[in-house]
Every structure is written in structure tokens, then in C-alpha cells.
Amino acid sequence: VVDTAQSMATRVFPGATSRERWDKTAYASCPGPLEGADKTSFRTHGLYLKAGRGTTHTLYAVHHGGRESVEVFTLDTQSAPPSLTWIGCAVAPDPIGLNAVIALPDGGLAATNFDPRPPAGATAAGFSPKLLTGERNGELWEWHTKTGWTKVPGSEASGANGLELSPDGKWYYVAEWGNRAFMRLSRGRTPVERQEI
């Protein structure tokens, strides 16, 4: 948590005030709370804060570690510093390499596959050749409690990086790092409508 007025940063997870309260209904496919190095060396990437009522909000955090996942927390801003309670996760299927994440208005979440991970046991040698040459190497994925992960049709991208959703939930906006492009993609429409600049 960054306090811009005091120019201070405070680690809140894992931390003395962080808690665990697994929501096994919403996150039944989650194997459980982070443990070992995944917890002590928690490596985040994309973050998304979904505003809640009052002082309690939902924080989605992309995690790279023993599991590639989106970890979900409730954030209580009433305490100082704010406190996090881990409530579940959505583990990405191989070889998805997560980057950005957003909450969906109809429940669930969406995330970008920036650069697929190498097979288990293989040494990662940096970015993939496809990404470095601007070829399409990843895509968008949605996750819902009942259906799990599904690829978003027509979302193939080169280094799908930043991700946002229109307020009405009908359009994705994706920054493509690999080919220095920006994509607008319809959501839930057949046929898919896509524009790139």
C-alpha cells in the first residue's frame, strides 16, 4: 500500500494484519491458500481493485510462482494501513502466462495471456520469439465460478498487456506490447467486432 501523502509504502501481504477466509463456493476450484515460497515471496503483476460498499473492496492480483494464478482478496480500508483477507484464487491452465486482470460486471474475471509459459521443467530464456517479432502469441481469457477459464473469441494478440472494460461491459480495451498496438474488442457479440490501431 502506497501512502502518497507520507511518501511511504507498507507491505500488507503477507503481513501481520493479513488473514485467510477461503470462499469455497465462489472459488471451489482453487487448491487453497498460498503456502511456502508462494506466500513468503508473493510475486504480483497485474492488479485490479473492484470498488465495494463502504470500506470493503475486492482486490484481484496476478501471481507468478509455483502456481500461475489470480489471487483474490477483500481489502478493508477502515484500518491503517488497510488490511487484506485472502478469499480464493483462479489457477491459470498451462501454458497461460498471466499479465493484467479485471473484474467482470456479471461476475468472474478476465485476464491477458501476455506470453505463454515454457513447459514444466524447461528453462525460460526471456520473452518468446513470437512476442519479440510482434506476432500474435497470446489472447484474453475469462474465468467464472461455474465454467472456469474460457478463451475470449477473436482476442489473439501480440503481448496482450494492459486490459480494461467499458462501463457497460460490452467492450474490451487491450494494449498489445509486442506489436505496439491497441485493440478494441466486443464482448459477448457474434460475430466478434475488433479494431486495432
Side-chain angles (χ1 to χ4, degrees), residues 26-105:
Y27 303 100
S29 63
C30 179
L34 292 165
E35 297 178 341
D38 267 352
K39 185 172 183 177
T40 57
S41 301
F42 186 50
R43 287 184 53 217
T44 61
H45 208 129
L47 298 171
Y48 186 84
L49 185 65
K50 180 181 177 182
R53 295 182 181 187
T55 61
T56 304
H57 313 284
T58 306
L59 178 67
Y60 299 82
V62 167
H63 168 66
H64 303 301
R67 70 185 186 202
E68 184 81 359
S69 57
V70 174
E71 303 294 327
V72 187
F73 303 85
T74 56
L75 172 69
D76 183 355
T77 59
Q78 189 168 7
S79 59
S83 62
L84 286 178
T85 300
W86 178 91
I87 58 171
C89 70
V91 177
D94 286 332
I96 294 173
L98 297 170
N99 191 297
V101 62
I102 58 171
L104 297 173

Side-chain angles (χ1 to χ4, degrees), residues 2 27-28 30 42 67 72 76 81 95 99 109 129 133-135 149 155 173 175 185 192 196:
V2 177
Y27 303 100
C30 179
F42 186 50
R67 70 185 186 202
V72 187
D76 183 355
N99 191 297
L109 56 92
T133 57
E135 295 177 58
W149 291 97
S155 66
Y173 298 94
L185 181 74
V192 171
E196 276 180 290

